[in-house]
Structure formats: C-alpha cells, structure tokens
Amino acid sequence: MPAIAAKPAKAPKAPKAPTFDTKRLSEEVKVLSSDEFEGRGPATAGETKTIDYVVAQLKAAGVQPGGELKDGKRLWTQPVPLLRAEIAGTPSLSVSVKKKARALTQGNEIAVRAALDGSTNVAIKNAPLVFAGYGITAPERQWDDFKNVDLKGKIAIVLINDPDFESGQGDFGGKAMTYYGRWTYKFEEAARRGAVGLLIVHETDPASYGWATVKNSNTNTMFDVVRDKPGASHPTMEGWIQRDFAVSLLKSAGLDFDKLKKQAQTREFKPVTLKNVTLSANYVVDSAVITSQNIVGRIEGSKKPDETVIYSAHWDHLGVGQPDAKGDKIYNGAVDNATGTAALIEIGRAFAKGKKPQRSVVLLNVTAEEKGLLGSEYYSARPLYPLSKTVAVINMDALDPTGPSRDFTTSGSAKQELLDELIATGQRWNLNYVTDPKPEAGHFFRSDHFPFAKRGVPAVSFGSGEDKIDGGQAAGKAEQEAYTRDRYHQPADQWESTWTFTGMARDLQVLYTLGNDLANSNRWPNWSQDSEFRAARDASAAERGAK
C-alpha cells in the first residue's frame, strides 16, 4: 500500500515560534559525534563525556535538573542498572554436516551475540538445527510456527519480519510489521520454547538494513535490563546468519530454502529438523551489572507542575567496535542520535528562554536505545514523573541535518489524537504528513516512544521528510537510501561540514509548538478507540480527573 499524504489546505503565515540556531545545532552534533566521545557507548569513558557535555549545555540553556531525587533535590541523571555482556576473545563456531565440521567466522556468515541469559561460558556441542518458519506464536491469529515441537537442547532457525511481508496481505496486517516480526520478540519466544539458541536469517529487505548493520550491532557489547530470570527472556545463544549460508545449510539437509519460506507463510507450516546437520559453539562471556544513566532536564510548570510533557531522544550509540574497510573502529553516531540529543538541548533552551509553560516540560535523554530501548524501558517502568499525568511523549531520533522538506513522517502510524495534533501543527507550516513510508521496517517498535506507548502514554516519534525543497522526493529518497546503506550503524555516520541544519531548525519549530500548545492546555490526548494501547491509558483516567 503506498504512503498516504494528508494534503493541507493553503497554510496561513507560519505561527510565531522560537528560531533555532543552525550553527549551534551543528556544533553540538559535531562535538557529540567526535572521536573524543568514542561512539558514546554506555558504561564507557564516552558516556561520562556525554553526560558532562549534555548537562553543561542544558545548564547553560537555563534548564533545571529533572532526574532522581536525592536529599530533596533533583539530580541531572536517573541511574539505569544494566546487565553488560561481551564475548571474551574470538568465539569458536562451527557447523557439522554428516559429522564433517566446518568452522564459521564471527561477523562473516554468522553474528553471535554475547549471552544475556546469565551464562558466563557457552559450550554447545552438536546441537540439532530446526527450521521454525517465522518463529511466531500468535493465538489471537490462530498461528503457531512451532506445533509443539520440543526445542530443548536445539537451535531454531527463523525468518525475520512477518509472514505477510512478501505478499503484502494476510493475518499480520499486510506489509506493515507487527511486533511478531521484530528480532526482540523472536529471541523471547525461543526462550519461552526452551531452545538453547535462535538464529535469525538475515535478508536486507525484510530486515530493512544490510548485513553490515547486523554485524556491527550484534558482535559488540550487549546490554539488557537486570532481570530476575534472564533465561526466561533469552536463549543461551542468540544470533543472525546470512541468507546464503542459511540456503546452503538447508540444502545440505536436502531442503529447499525458498519452498520452506513459502510454506512458512501459511498456518499449515510445521517445523523441519535439518537431518545430519548440527552446530557447535564455544566462548567465554564477560558479564557484569553496571550502571548507566538517563540524563533528565526539566522546566517546571507555572500552574500544573505535576502534569508533564516529555521530549525524548537517546544519547548512546555503538561505541568502539569492528573496524570498517578503512580501519575506522569508532561508531560516531552523528545522525543516530547526536541530532536528537542536540534537538533536546535546543528545545530545552527555547522553553527556558520563553514564557514558562503551565505544565512541566521534561527533556529525557535516554541511554541504551541501541541495545533494545533499555533506557526508555527503565524510565517508563520506574518513571520519575507519573505516567498517568504524562500528557504526551514527543521522541526525536535520527533527524535530517540537511535542508528542509515539504513533509514529515512518524515511526509507525498508530491512530491517536497526539498524531492528529502533530499533523495539524505541521500544516501551520504548510507541511504534508506522510504515513510511515516503510511500515514493514517496524520503526514503531524501534524507537524510545514505544515503551511509553505500550503503557498507554500517547507517544510519537518524529521523522524528517523526504520531499526536499531542493531536489524533491527523488533527492530525499536517494539521501535516505544512501544513509541506510552506507552510514546507518557504521563508522561512517559522522558529522559533515556541508550539513546546513536548516531543515532540522524548521522541524524543531513544529515540535516545540506541538509541546508548547499541549503544555499550555488542559488537553489529555488519547489513543483511538480500537488501539491496543487505549485500555492502558483509560485505566489511569481517574488519576487525571478525567470522566
């Protein structure tokens, strides 16, 4: 289904809004993504530099601390305990076909993550392999890819995304990805099924990113929230394999990858054991609980300080990892997400310099987004300000640092009044809203607004547009595709002197106006009546004094 653009009527003159300084935005992105910050990995020297820098900028902007309460005063941070795990040395990985072993190279045909189930040593010997379709159990859709097959001691191989991705129609919403299509769900389901491991078959289109992104995101240090029973959420071995390797594995067992994939797109699919094919893995995991930090600024409301509008963005990136072809090991994360962090600072400045809003505004700069939205998950599970009185979350992730567009989008297009208000605000600048152009990529589940949404808080994640004023849709689409291919989660995501930041400065006027309007109103936007998030929001209506 093509993206649907909401065509605005001819807009009046753009409303008054603070001017956002492009030079300041550029300088903040340049500093945050410099080699000195070492890729902003959680629990590294790069985190310490990031916290010091962001706090200094927020202070200079006139923002007040909004973090954890200590001795009656707010700190600038919220501690976030995390399990950190990394593979010590090079993992020993091999596959055996009819008892003939072949070594595998980490990052080449396979990318294995450090164990997050609490294991400090992984020793898997000749584990049977089972192809389990898309790895989905969805009772409400009468869908079960496992058919009661016992996976204990076995490694499941599954496909990425949903069964509907290729056909665009079926029981999983067509082209748009559901949560069942996300790799996080697939690992969790494998753990629930008792599998010793899960390997996800990478294909660029259904994953929405290339193998370089998979390799770089999964072969470095892993993090998770601290769990009472980590083995209930993670199998011992979690990883990805290249499609060509999956094809050859199945072929060696007398199976056809394409035929099995077609079968997996139906309810009738049954798991298939790869005869005479096993996998072995041996590696040590350095595992420890560390404490990272969410950075939190606040502008206290003048009349209703206990009611809160949140702007969020993540400060972290991938840190130091595997070198690219040029030998660069620092994953600078300029677009992802030094842009969002700079946006947070500058929106804070605008609120601090302007007339005090009636409701409080919180600037939430979260950690460990790249490791599974962990900082926002922690905050939303242990909020510093009650979620029942959180008006909305406006998330900013990977904004476009180049010239302005005639449009904008959001991650996912879940129906809610907050999105309606954002669209109406954009129209005041004569901006078209375009529904998520790649719903199959599952972006709704991949940004920091999602932990809030699943707890009922109205939340959107803003996306820069593609219809560039200079070059139109062709230029914007080419720019986005080049970024995803050549920079996303790669060392090449670096600050560029050619970036003008004019588009971002205009977009921040829109986002400031949306939040400012909400902060000076009595409105409590809600999800649509048929939204899966509506019930959670309605459950707290009494706390807002709503009828």
Side-chain angles (χ1 to χ4, degrees):
M1 183 175 175
I4 300 169
K7 293 285 186 184
K10 184 170 176 59
K13 188 177 180 181
K16 287 185 179 180
T19 300
F20 289 86
D21 189 327
T22 56
K23 289 182 180 177
R24 191 182 279 128
L25 287 167
S26 181
E27 179 63 19
E28 288 162 356
V29 171
K30 183 180 181 181
V31 171
L32 285 163
S33 62
S34 65
D35 282 357
E36 183 186 350
F37 282 63
E38 300 175 12
R40 304 189 306 280
T44 66
E47 167 165 356
T48 304
K49 288 189 174 88
T50 302
I51 292 171
D52 290 347
Y53 179 79
V54 173
V55 168
Q57 298 307 305
L58 289 171
K59 278 183 181 177
V63 176
Q64 299 300 308
E68 188 178 54
L69 267 176
K70 188 173 183 181
D71 300 327
K73 291 185 177 180
R74 292 281 179 187
L75 303 178
W76 279 103
T77 56
Q78 178 191 32
V80 180
L82 298 172
L83 175 68
R84 179 183 67 190
E86 53 190 332
I87 295 174
T90 303
S92 174
L93 304 162
S94 64
V95 63
S96 291
V97 178
K98 295 180 181 178
K99 298 185 178 180
K100 187 175 181 180
R102 171 196 160 196
L104 304 176
T105 302
Q106 171 77 317
N108 190 354
E109 58 271 85
I110 190 169
V112 173
R113 296 153 58 91
L116 292 171
D117 71 334
S119 297
T120 55
N121 185 62
V122 175
I124 298 171
K125 190 170 183 180
N126 296 323
L129 299 176
V130 178
F131 179 74
Y134 286 86
I136 293 171
T137 305
E140 77 285 359
R141 290 169 164 86
Q142 294 83 51
W143 195 281
D144 177 18
D145 280 332
F146 296 96
K147 306 294 193 295
N148 293 319
V149 168
D150 184 6
L151 289 178
K152 288 182 175 63
K154 300 173 184 177
I155 296 171
I157 297 174
V158 302
L159 301 164
I160 191 61
N161 213 308
D162 295 326
D164 294 359
F165 172 75
E166 291 189 349
S167 67
Q169 54 188 357
D171 297 292
F172 289 84
K175 204 74 171 170
M177 185 191 286
T178 68
Y179 189 59
Y180 294 114
R182 287 286 289 144
W183 52 265
T184 46
Y185 164 80
K186 296 175 193 290
F187 287 141
E188 289 166 2
E189 185 61 22
R192 287 189 283 267
R193 293 278 168 173
V196 72
L198 179 77
L199 295 172
I200 299 172
V201 179
H202 172 260
E203 294 185 89
T204 297
D205 286 345
S208 81
Y209 37 73
W211 179 255
T213 298
V214 171
K215 179 184 74 172
N216 297 335
S217 303
N218 291 276
T219 59
N220 61 358
T221 306
M222 293 289 107
F223 290 87
D224 193 19
V225 293
V226 177
R227 303 177 190 270
D228 292 335
K229 296 180 179 179
S233 299
H234 296 280
T236 299
M237 190 178 85
E238 298 176 329
W240 294 65
I241 55 176
Q242 294 238 41
R243 181 189 185 279
D244 289 349
F245 176 51
V247 171
S248 68
L249 266 186
L250 292 171
K251 188 175 181 181
S252 67
L255 301 168
D256 184 288
F257 178 84
D258 290 324
K259 283 184 180 178
L260 277 178
K261 184 198 265 193
K262 286 290 183 191
Q263 291 174 23
Q265 292 164 3
T266 69
R267 279 192 180 84
E268 291 69 38
F269 169 81
K270 293 179 181 179
V272 180
T273 299
L274 279 63
K275 292 180 181 178
N276 300 314
V277 181
T278 61
L279 191 139
S280 298
N282 204 302
Y283 45 93
V284 172
V285 180
D286 180 9
S287 186
V289 174
I290 58 91
T291 300
S292 186
Q293 305 286 337
N294 288 335
I295 307 168
V296 192
R298 185 170 181 252
I299 294 92
E300 187 173 54
S302 60
K303 292 185 178 179
K304 295 171 282 187
D306 62 330
E307 299 177 7
T308 303
V309 174
I310 293 179
Y311 286 90
S312 63
H314 70 92
W315 61 255
D316 67 301
H317 199 54
L318 301 180
V320 178
Q322 295 284 328
D324 64 8
K326 297 177 181 177
D328 189 352
K329 298 193 293 185
I330 298 177
Y331 289 70
N332 303 85
V335 170
D336 186 15
N337 190 27
T339 58
T341 300
L344 211 59
I345 294 167
E346 293 309 309
I347 280 180
R349 188 187 310 277
F351 275 104
K353 301 298 183 194
K355 184 180 178 182
K356 209 172 189 183
Q358 294 176 19
R359 288 165 157 169
S360 295
V361 172
V362 163
L363 307 156
L364 179 61
N365 204 195
V366 295
T367 183
E369 185 270 355
E370 301 291 8
K371 305 302 179 183
L373 315 181
L374 302 182
S376 52
E377 175 65 30
Y378 187 85
Y379 178 95
S380 56
R382 297 167 182 81
L384 298 170
Y385 307 96
L387 297 188
S388 61
K389 291 195 172 183
T390 298
V391 181
V393 173
I394 302 166
N395 187 57
M396 300 172 292
D397 193 349
L399 302 177
D400 182 355
T402 64
S405 300
R406 299 181 183 91
D407 59 354
F408 69 93
T409 186
T410 52
S411 296
S413 307
K415 292 179 182 177
Q416 56 173 321
E417 291 160 358
L418 179 60
L419 178 57
D420 295 340
E421 293 203 25
L422 173 58
I423 292 170
T425 304
Q427 287 178 348
R428 291 160 71 183
W429 274 265
N430 205 21
L431 296 180
N432 290 334
Y433 170 66
V434 179
T435 56
D436 187 342
K438 293 191 73 176
E440 66 273 19
H443 289 297
F444 187 81
F445 313 107
R446 289 167 56 183
S447 269
D448 288 306
H449 67 304
F450 178 60
F452 292 93
K454 69 183 182 182
R455 290 172 172 86
V457 180
V460 292
S461 190
F462 179 87
S464 305
E466 279 193 353
D467 186 7
K468 309 293 284 188
I469 288 175
D470 184 8
Q473 290 182 344
K477 188 175 182 182
E479 183 183 290
Q480 182 57 45
E481 288 177 350
Y483 171 74
T484 302
R485 182 184 65 243
D486 302 328
R487 293 173 178 259
Y488 177 58
H489 283 201
Q490 299 176 59
D493 186 4
Q494 298 174 324
W495 175 86
E496 299 285 343
S497 61
T498 55
W499 288 346
T500 63
F501 287 88
T502 51
M504 189 168 151
R506 193 276 320 278
D507 290 346
L508 293 188
Q509 290 185 307
V510 176
L511 296 178
Y512 168 87
T513 301
L514 173 67
N516 189 53
D517 286 352
L518 286 169
N520 288 293
S521 77
N522 296 314
R523 295 196 302 280
W524 295 100
N526 206 339
W527 300 90
S528 64
Q529 287 287 354
D530 59 353
S531 169
E532 64 267 45
F533 309 121
R534 175 78 184 223
R537 188 58 166 178
D538 287 350
S540 65
E543 295 174 54
R544 293 185 292 280
K547 293 180 180 179

